[in-house]
Amino acid sequence: MKIINLLVVLILIQIWNVGVVNAKEKFKFHKDGSFKIVQFTDIHYKVNSPRCKKVIEMMNSVLDEEKPDLVVFTGDLVTYEPLAEGWKQITAPLVKREIPWAVTLGNHDDESDIKREEIFPLIQDIPYNVSIEGDKNVHGYGNYVI
C-alpha cells in the first residue's frame, strides 16, 4: 500500500509540474476497485549472468503470485552491454503474460553502449510498453505521466 501511495503522489506531482498527461493506454480499476502495480528496481541486469537468471525467476514468481495490472521499472534496470538484448530479456516475463509496463530511468541505465536519449526509442516496440519519452520541453528523458 505504501508503494501505491508513493506512486500516486509522484503521479500527482508530475501532473502538477508538467501539466501534460500522455498515455498509450487507458487504465481502469477492476469492479472491486482494485488496480495492482508491481515495482521492480535496481536490477542491474546483465545478459547471461547467473545472478540475473535468478532475477528473472524472482520476477516470474512475483508476477504469478501478484497478477499485476501494471509493472513499473524504476531505474537501474539494464546496466551492462548488450542493452538491447538485456531489455528484451528483462521484459520477456511481462510480454509472455501480456502485462503493461512502464519505466523511469535511473542514474546507471545509460552507462553502457547506449546513451540515455537512445533508451526509449530502443524499448518503444517491446510489446505492452506504455512508457513514453515525455515532453521535450521538460529536462531529461522519461519524464511522463501515464
Side-chain angles (χ1 to χ4, degrees), residues 26-30 34-35 69:
K26 301 248 184 214
F27 296 103
K28 296 179 182 175
F29 288 94
H30 295 276
S34 67
F35 185 88
D69 300 297

Side-chain angles (χ1 to χ4, degrees), residues 13 16 20 28 37 51 54 65 73 75 82-83 85 97 102 105 108 127 132 142:
I13 289 170
W16 185 66
V20 176
K28 296 179 182 175
I37 300 170
R51 183 189 67 79
K54 290 181 181 186
E65 179 70 25
F73 292 112
L83 268 73
E85 181 59 27
R97 291 168 179 82
L105 300 177
H108 296 288
I132 54 179

Side-chain angles (χ1 to χ4, degrees), residues 66-133:
E66 296 298 330
K67 297 179 181 27
D69 300 297
L70 174 69
V71 169
V72 179
F73 292 112
T74 54
D76 298 344
L77 281 294
V78 181
T79 54
Y80 298 94
E81 297 176 16
L83 268 73
E85 181 59 27
W87 277 103
K88 287 178 187 173
Q89 289 181 16
I90 203 167
T91 57
L94 309 172
V95 172
K96 176 182 175 185
R97 291 168 179 82
E98 301 180 357
I99 301 170
W101 59 275
V103 65
T104 59
L105 300 177
N107 61 315
H108 296 288
D109 284 311
D110 64 349
E111 291 182 348
S112 194
D113 62 342
I114 295 178
K115 296 177 184 172
R116 183 169 290 274
E117 59 268 21
E118 297 171 310
I119 293 174
F120 278 84
L122 173 79
I123 64 173
Q124 72 183 0
D125 293 329
I126 298 175
Y128 308 102
N129 178 6
V130 298
S131 306
I132 54 179
E133 276 188 73

Side-chain angles (χ1 to χ4, degrees), residues 15-76:
I15 291 170
W16 185 66
N17 286 335
V18 178
V20 176
V21 176
N22 296 310
K24 291 181 180 179
E25 182 170 325
K26 301 248 184 214
F27 296 103
K28 296 179 182 175
F29 288 94
H30 295 276
K31 288 181 182 178
D32 67 357
S34 67
F35 185 88
K36 188 176 284 192
I37 300 170
V38 165
Q39 175 191 20
F40 295 114
T41 191
D42 289 287
I43 294 172
H44 294 269
Y45 193 82
K46 183 176 184 179
V47 174
N48 298 323
S49 165
R51 183 189 67 79
C52 289
K53 182 180 178 185
K54 290 181 181 186
V55 166
I56 297 296
E57 291 171 3
M58 178 271 309
M59 286 176 62
N60 283 322
S61 177
V62 169
L63 296 172
D64 289 342
E65 179 70 25
E66 296 298 330
K67 297 179 181 27
D69 300 297
L70 174 69
V71 169
V72 179
F73 292 112
T74 54
D76 298 344

